Amino acid sequence: MKKNEERVGIVSALGVNGEGIIKEEDAVVFVPFALVGEKVKYKVLKVAKKCVYAKLIEVLTPAENRVRAKCPVFEKCGGCQLQHIKYVQQLKLKESGIESTFKKIANLSVKVKPTIKGDDHYRYRNKLQLPVVQTDIGVIIGFYAENSHRVVAIDDCYINASWTKNIISAFKRYMAEFNVKGYNEFTNSGDIREITVKEIKGNLIITVVALHDKLPEKDRLIDILTDELKIRFSLYLNVNDKNTNVIYGDKFFLLYGAPNYTADMLGIKYKIGVQSFMQVNTAVCAKLYGAVRDAVDADEDTVVIDAYSGAGLMTALLSKNAKKAIGVEIVPEAVECANELAELNGLSGKITNYLGKCEDIVPDLIKKEREQGNKVCLVLDPPRKGCDTKVINAILDSDIDKIVYVSCKPSTLARDIGLLVGTLELSEGEIKRAENPTFRYDVTTVRPFDMFAQTKHVETLVCLERKTN
Ligand SMILES: C[S@@+](CC[C@H](N)C(=O)[O-])C[C@H]1O[C@@H](n2cnc3c(N)ncnc32)[C@H](O)[C@@H]1O
């Protein structure tokens, strides 16, 4: 097979990223946006040692599961990968992807329960991040193309809330009217480099990330936003003049509106400010947190350790039925937020939030609580790279009965569950399949939550219970 060659093939499987797989005699070909059973024309882009990367040219016989993508820049923008697949089929794909990842990585056969979905599989996102660049043809506001730093212009985004189009339209109007420039990353120059927006109970926090500490004609921008949005909003200016991929600089200035907004979830009040972390899909997040609470099923004798606790909403929820809950989080602002949240809900007496790395804090915490005779339930919600081996080893050295693990990356989830269950083992810094698996925990639940509909991503909840013998 040669680069630029055009060929015809039949897709026999889908990869974990939703891409079509065609098995040719001499190679495995990955064709994004092609579906199982489809006869497609493709163009070879890259021939690697073990596989070939190709571009879809034409679908010659479409699959039954194919639907027309809503978005005009789907395939160009890197945000969604699955809009061309019927929604029910997207869920099946994610469920079977989790099952096969557990088998492949952890040598573990798991039964994946049906996915919990939100009410809307479009317009579900509550936060938005738009790079703004200056090009030869003018200002472009949009999203990055997949694996690239090229910005694809958009007028709207169908997985984001409907105010997205008004935000883009308002900034286009403002930038054109006052000749405000987008960012040029080569010369580190321009006026605006990014626009970010968060929605909290129908109120928006809009942040303009600029290179200077003054926005030209800021009052006109507020007028234009008021005219376009017709909902309550706050406007912040953040200054970032460094040539970096990090979005925010250190300084935030409130230009208009309230500094933060309060909302509630499952009976817990929480405050979201300009820097607070928020899950992207509020409806599915509430279902996920409710499922974690039910899986933990704490009683008055249980101490819940919430490792990787973020801004503490789940810690507060878990503390309600428990003896106490302990959060461990590495980001100082998140811990401040978690302490504030505990106070706001009158739960300070039942919650302790530790600032630091789980690998440094959790092992001693487990030991101390067990020595005091407490029943311990451990909740793990780590970032994409999964848990540090020190955390895994501390669990293996303990006799914790129940672990509830929430993850947004099936491969690291499967690795960590394999280590905890005993189908994998760590020897001399390497993870290997165990010759004699111990099966020290039963995997009682593997449940996907479709937090990121239309995309390849999925959130998964796993519940482990120690075998009684
Ligand atoms: C997937 S988020 C989960 C946050 C929270 N449980 C929630 O539902 O919003 C992972 C969190 O782990 C934190 N984190 C990352 N590495 C950490 C570490 N080594 N020790 C403690 N926290 C860490 C991140 O700052 C982030 O808040």
Side-chain angles (χ1 to χ4, degrees):
M1 234 179 259
K2 286 198 192 84
K3 191 175 168 181
N4 292 331
E5 191 182 333
E6 288 193 3
R7 300 174 63 106
V8 170
I10 294 179
V11 179
S12 58
L14 288 192
V16 283
N17 297 323
E19 70 280 49
I21 295 175
I22 296 176
K23 291 197 175 117
E24 296 283 2
E25 263 172 37
D26 51 348
V28 174
V29 189
F30 290 102
V31 191
F33 310 115
L35 297 180
V36 172
E38 287 185 335
K39 188 176 182 183
V40 297
K41 193 186 213 185
Y42 63 88
K43 182 175 178 177
V44 175
L45 297 179
K46 187 176 168 192
V47 181
K49 247 188 192 167
K50 288 191 180 157
C51 58
V52 170
Y53 298 96
K55 184 182 171 183
L56 179 67
I57 304 279
E58 194 185 344
V59 179
L60 302 170
T61 49
E64 239 181 57
N65 292 321
R66 179 170 283 280
V67 287
R68 184 186 289 272
K70 269 196 180 192
C71 176
V73 292
F74 174 66
E75 297 189 20
K76 292 200 182 90
C77 149
C80 299
Q81 297 76 29
L82 309 181
Q83 273 194 31
H84 61 305
I85 308 178
K86 269 187 194 159
Y87 186 61
V88 282
Q89 203 59 30
Q90 290 183 22
L91 299 182
K92 283 193 189 147
L93 180 68
K94 291 181 188 186
E95 287 160 14
S96 63
I98 294 168
E99 203 171 299
S100 59
T101 304
F102 267 81
K103 189 74 204 154
K104 194 169 140 198
I105 293 183
N107 195 22
L108 204 55
S109 301
V110 293
K111 184 153 175 33
V112 176
K113 295 196 169 175
T115 305
I116 302 290
K117 40 191 201 295
D119 302 333
D120 305 306
H121 46 264
Y122 278 105
R123 299 285 185 208
Y124 61 85
R125 281 185 62 103
N126 54 21
K127 62 179 183 185
L128 176 68
Q129 185 191 314
L130 295 163
V132 182
V133 290
Q134 189 66 37
T135 68
D136 296 344
I137 54 161
V139 173
I140 292 183
I141 301 178
F143 290 130
Y144 291 114
E146 183 110 41
N147 302 324
S148 142
H149 229 241
R150 186 171 48 81
V151 177
V152 176
I154 60 158
D155 293 321
D156 193 1
C157 170
Y158 292 91
I159 61 168
N160 255 288
S162 53
W163 41 255
T164 305
K165 53 185 175 305
N166 308 93
I167 290 281
I168 296 170
S169 161
F171 275 91
K172 277 188 179 167
R173 264 172 71 186
Y174 162 70
M175 293 182 77
E177 205 171 321
F178 301 105
N179 193 24
V180 178
K181 297 272 185 277
Y183 184 53
N184 180 332
E185 67 176 346
F186 302 105
T187 55
N188 193 33
S189 61
D191 298 310
I192 295 181
R193 54 194 292 168
E194 205 96 28
I195 301 158
T196 68
V197 188
K198 287 182 201 170
E199 178 182 341
I200 311 103
K201 261 200 150 172
N203 306 296
L204 303 188
I205 295 183
I206 305 166
T207 304
V208 178
V209 185
L211 283 102
H212 331 284
D213 61 4
K214 288 225 161 31
L215 266 188
E217 302 287 343
K218 78 164 170 47
D219 291 339
R220 272 298 292 149
L221 173 59
I222 293 165
D223 288 345
I224 294 172
L225 283 167
T226 307
D227 177 45
E228 293 268 356
L229 285 169
K230 299 185 174 62
I231 52 176
R232 193 146 76 115
F233 68 91
S234 302
L235 181 66
Y236 276 91
L237 171 66
N238 173 269
V239 184
N240 184 359
D241 56 7
K242 296 200 177 73
N243 199 347
T244 164
N245 284 339
V246 177
I247 298 175
Y248 294 126
D250 297 335
K251 290 185 202 150
F252 284 86
F253 302 96
L254 178 63
L255 303 182
Y256 175 77
N260 46 50
Y261 294 94
T262 306
D264 58 90
M265 185 180 281
L266 304 170
I268 302 291
K269 278 185 250 145
Y270 62 101
K271 218 194 267 176
I272 294 284
V274 68
Q275 293 194 75
S276 318
F277 170 80
M278 253 171 74
Q279 299 276 2
V280 298
N281 184 332
T282 312
V284 177
C285 176
K287 291 185 183 184
L288 173 67
Y289 286 2
V292 172
R293 178 195 53 199
D294 296 347
V296 167
D297 193 21
D299 57 24
E300 285 160 3
D301 298 325
T302 313
V303 172
V304 184
I305 300 177
D306 183 12
Y308 310 92
S309 50
L313 210 159
M314 205 152 72
T315 323
L317 182 65
L318 296 172
S319 76
K320 279 199 154 179
N321 298 330
K323 183 174 183 183
K324 63 177 177 182
I326 305 171
V328 185
E329 165 61 44
I330 201 172
V331 173
E333 298 88 63
V335 176
E336 271 169 39
C337 226
N339 285 333
E340 223 181 281
L341 186 141
E343 212 176 301
L344 189 70
N345 289 278
L347 292 167
S348 298
K350 288 188 99 182
I351 296 173
T352 310
N353 291 303
Y354 285 97
L355 170 64
K357 290 184 184 168
C358 284
E359 47 273 36
D360 296 338
I361 296 173
V362 170
D364 287 345
L365 265 183
I366 296 176
K367 221 165 144 196
K368 195 177 114 204
E369 293 302 331
R370 289 300 293 138
E371 276 168 9
Q372 288 177 3
N374 288 319
K375 207 158 94 184
V376 175
C377 177
L378 181 64
V379 175
L380 300 162
D381 186 5
R384 297 175 67 75
K385 66 178 181 187
C387 292
D388 190 278
T389 47
K390 279 192 200 154
V391 175
I392 301 284
N393 285 335
I395 301 169
L396 297 182
D397 288 344
S398 76
D399 55 357
I400 290 182
D401 287 325
K402 196 188 272 181
I403 300 165
V404 178
Y405 195 136
V406 176
S407 161
C408 60
K409 191 156 188 206
S411 57
T412 55
L413 171 70
R415 178 201 66 199
D416 290 351
I417 298 297
L419 286 168
L420 291 171
V421 167
T423 50
L424 298 179
E425 59 191 19
L426 190 68
S427 94
E428 292 162 9
E430 258 186 67
I431 293 173
K432 294 187 186 138
R433 282 191 177 189
E435 276 180 25
N436 299 302
T438 47
F439 293 106
R440 56 179 86 80
Y441 284 99
D442 280 326
V443 183
T444 55
T445 308
V446 180
R447 171 84 82 184
F449 286 76
D450 201 24
M451 188 86 91
F452 318 101
Q454 315 302 336
T455 80
K456 62 186 176 188
H457 303 289
V458 64
E459 196 84 12
T460 313
L461 179 151
V462 173
C463 192
L464 299 183
E465 288 187 33
R466 181 174 278 274
K467 285 205 166 148
T468 39
N469 58 355

